[in-house]
Amino acid sequence: METQVLTPHVYWAQRHRELYLRVELSDVQNPAISISENVLHFKAQGHGAKGDNVYEFHLEFLDLVKPEPAYRLTQRQVNITVQKKGSHWWERLTKQEKRPLFLAPDFDRWLDESDAEMELRAKEEERLNKLRLESEGSPETLTNLKKGYLFMYNLVQLLGFSWIFVNLTVRFFILGKESFYDTFHTVADMMYFCQMLALVETLNAAIGVTNSPVLPALIQFLGRNFILFLVFGTMEEMQNKAVVFFVFYSWSAIEIFRYPFYMLSCIDMDWKVLTWLRYTMWIPLYPLGCLSEAVAVIQSIPVFNESGRFSFTLPYPLRMKVRFSFFLQVYLVMLFLGLYINFRHLYKQRRRRYGQKKKKLH
C-alpha cells in the first residue's frame, strides 16, 4: 500500500526583503526544499494534521525570488526563509490571485507595510550603530589599547633613564671624579630624548588618560627642561661642571623606580618591593635633586651675567636692562615652591598606600 501524499498547513509572512513560511510538520528529517522557475517545491516525511505521512506542496511566487531557500527544522515545524530579488512589499504571496486552501497568514510574525518599514529602519539603525561601535572600538578594547600604550611609554622611559643611570655609575667607578666633568657630553642626547618625551606624561594627565594630577607633572616637566635646555644646553661653560653629574644622576635614580612601577600597574601586577621603593626612594632623592638643580642655577648666574645671553633692554621710557640672572633668581624661589607641591603630592600618595595599614595594626 502506497504512503498517502498530503498537503501540510503553511503559514506565511513577509518583510521588504524576505518571505517567511512556517510548515506545520513535526519530526521532519531531510526535507526536499528547492526553488526552480520561481516556484517553491516542498516534500517531506513528517507528522502533520493527517498523522505520519509524506506531505508536499508547490507555491509559485508573485514576484521574483532568489533560488536559494534557507530552512530550519524544529521539533514541531519547518521554518523556511526566502529572499526577494527586489526590496519591496508584495500584495500577496502567490502569483494566482486565489489563495490556496492550505496557506494562511502567520499572525505571530505578521506586520503591515508601515510596521515593516519601521522594523527595517530599526534594523538598519542597529546595523549602523554596530558598525560605529566596531570602528570606535568596544570599551574593553579601548582599555586594553590604553594599557598597551602606557606600558610601552613607561618601558621606553625606563630603558632611557636606566641607560643614563648605568652609564654614569660605571663611568664613576672606572674614572672616579674625572667622570663628573664630561657627563653632559656623554649622556645629554639620551637625557634630551627622555625629557622631551616626558611631555607625553603631562598630556596624559591633562586629557584624562591617567588619573595623575596635572600640576605636579607639569612642574616637574617645566623645571627639568628649564635646567636641561637653558641652563645646561645653551651655555658651554655649564656643560663641563661637576653639578651636571649630580643633576642627571638624581633624575635618573628617581625614574628607574617610578617607571617600572607604572609598567607593572598597566598589567595589574603589584611587586611589593618595587612598590615600597616607588613610594619611599623619593624621600631622599627629590630633595637631593632639587638641591643639585639649585646649585646649577646659582653657578650659572655669573656665567649668564658675563655673557649677557638672554638679557634685554626694556623699551622707552624705562630703558632698563633686564639680565637673565633675574629670572634665574626667580626660578630659585619657584624651584623650592615646586619641591613643596611635589613633596606634598607624593607624601599624600604614600600615606594613602601605607597609612591605612598602619592604622589597622594598632
Side-chain angles (χ1 to χ4, degrees):
M1 182 176 179
E2 293 184 0
T3 304
Q4 185 179 3
V5 178
L6 300 170
T7 303
H9 292 298
V10 180
Y11 300 89
W12 80 284
Q14 68 169 317
R15 299 295 184 269
H16 284 80
R17 296 171 181 170
E18 295 108 2
L19 300 167
Y20 304 116
L21 292 95
R22 173 165 56 87
V23 183
E24 289 293 303
L25 283 179
S26 61
D27 302 322
V28 174
Q29 293 184 353
N30 301 320
I33 303 173
S34 62
I35 295 177
S36 60
E37 297 181 355
N38 221 47
V39 177
L40 173 69
H41 305 281
F42 177 93
K43 186 175 183 180
Q45 175 83 28
H47 190 86
K50 298 295 183 179
D52 193 13
N53 282 294
V54 174
Y55 292 83
E56 66 176 291
F57 66 88
H58 308 278
L59 287 173
E60 184 176 5
F61 293 113
L62 175 66
D63 209 338
L64 295 177
V65 297
K66 296 181 180 179
E68 302 90 13
Y71 68 89
R72 183 172 61 88
L73 301 177
T74 69
Q75 192 172 359
R76 298 176 58 186
Q77 62 200 30
V78 182
N79 295 313
I80 304 172
T81 302
V82 178
Q83 299 291 328
K84 298 177 180 178
K85 279 197 173 180
S87 178
H88 58 274
W89 200 255
W90 291 6
E91 61 182 21
R92 61 178 183 272
L93 178 66
T94 59
K95 190 171 185 179
Q96 65 183 53
E97 292 187 10
K98 186 178 180 180
R99 178 175 58 83
L101 294 177
F102 64 88
L103 185 65
D106 185 354
F107 291 108
D108 290 339
R109 302 194 69 171
W110 193 266
L111 291 177
D112 59 28
E113 185 175 1
S114 60
D115 291 337
E117 286 178 352
M118 291 177 63
E119 182 187 70
L120 185 64
R121 283 196 296 269
K123 284 184 177 180
E124 183 65 18
E125 186 175 343
E126 183 181 353
R127 185 183 70 84
L128 293 174
N129 287 335
K130 186 177 179 181
L131 289 174
R132 179 175 56 80
L133 287 174
E134 288 176 354
S135 64
E136 293 177 354
S138 66
E140 184 179 353
T141 302
L142 290 175
T143 300
N144 291 334
L145 285 173
K146 185 175 80 169
K147 286 184 176 182
Y149 153 71
L150 291 174
F151 182 89
M152 291 305 300
Y153 167 76
N154 290 306
L155 175 61
V156 171
Q157 288 287 58
L158 171 62
L159 293 175
F161 280 108
S162 296
W163 184 89
I164 295 170
F165 182 82
V166 171
N167 190 299
L168 295 180
T169 303
V170 171
R171 283 173 54 79
F172 174 73
F173 280 109
I174 295 175
L175 301 175
K177 294 180 180 179
E178 294 298 321
S179 66
F180 293 170
Y181 303 103
D182 61 350
T183 296
F184 187 86
H185 302 288
T186 305
V187 300
D189 289 340
M190 182 61 73
M191 187 60 78
Y192 279 135
F193 171 77
C194 291
Q195 288 306 136
M196 286 189 291
L197 188 61
L199 175 63
V200 174
E201 200 164 332
T202 306
L203 294 176
N204 287 341
I207 64 178
V209 176
T210 61
N211 295 325
S212 305
V214 179
L215 186 59
L218 183 62
I219 288 173
Q220 179 169 294
F221 172 76
L222 294 177
R224 286 187 178 181
N225 282 289
F226 181 87
I227 298 292
L228 178 62
F229 285 92
L230 291 180
V231 176
F232 293 155
T234 62
M235 300 302 292
E236 190 173 347
E237 295 89 334
M238 290 300 301
Q239 296 171 8
N240 299 318
K241 291 187 179 293
V243 70
V244 178
F245 173 88
F246 295 99
V247 172
F248 285 7
Y249 202 76
S250 61
W251 288 355
S252 58
I254 292 168
E255 305 303 8
I256 61 173
F257 299 116
R258 194 166 68 94
Y259 284 117
F261 170 79
Y262 289 149
M263 281 175 55
L264 294 184
S265 297
C266 291
I267 55 176
D268 301 320
M269 287 183 63
D270 184 13
W271 185 22
K272 291 184 178 179
V273 175
L274 181 61
T275 302
W276 184 86
L277 290 170
R278 157 72 181 97
Y279 286 105
T280 305
M281 291 305 295
W282 62 267
I283 297 173
L285 290 175
Y286 261 87
L288 288 174
C290 184
L291 182 62
S292 60
E293 290 177 37
V295 171
V297 172
I298 292 169
Q299 289 183 354
S300 71
I301 289 175
V303 176
F304 278 100
N305 280 339
E306 184 179 346
S307 68
R309 180 166 293 184
F310 303 133
S311 298
F312 58 92
T313 302
L314 294 174
Y316 180 83
L318 296 176
R319 291 184 179 176
M320 181 187 300
K321 187 173 184 179
V322 180
R323 294 182 179 275
F324 185 65
S325 58
F326 168 77
F327 297 101
L328 293 173
Q329 292 166 20
V330 172
Y331 176 78
L332 278 175
V333 177
M334 301 298 294
L335 177 64
F336 288 98
L337 178 61
L339 174 66
Y340 168 75
I341 294 173
N342 276 353
F343 216 88
R344 187 167 174 266
H345 166 66
L346 291 169
Y347 174 74
K348 285 183 177 179
Q349 282 189 328
R350 193 178 197 281
R351 189 173 62 179
R352 280 198 300 267
R353 186 79 184 191
Y354 295 109
Q356 294 178 353
K357 293 183 180 179
K358 290 180 180 179
K359 289 179 182 178
K360 291 178 182 179
L361 293 175
H362 292 294

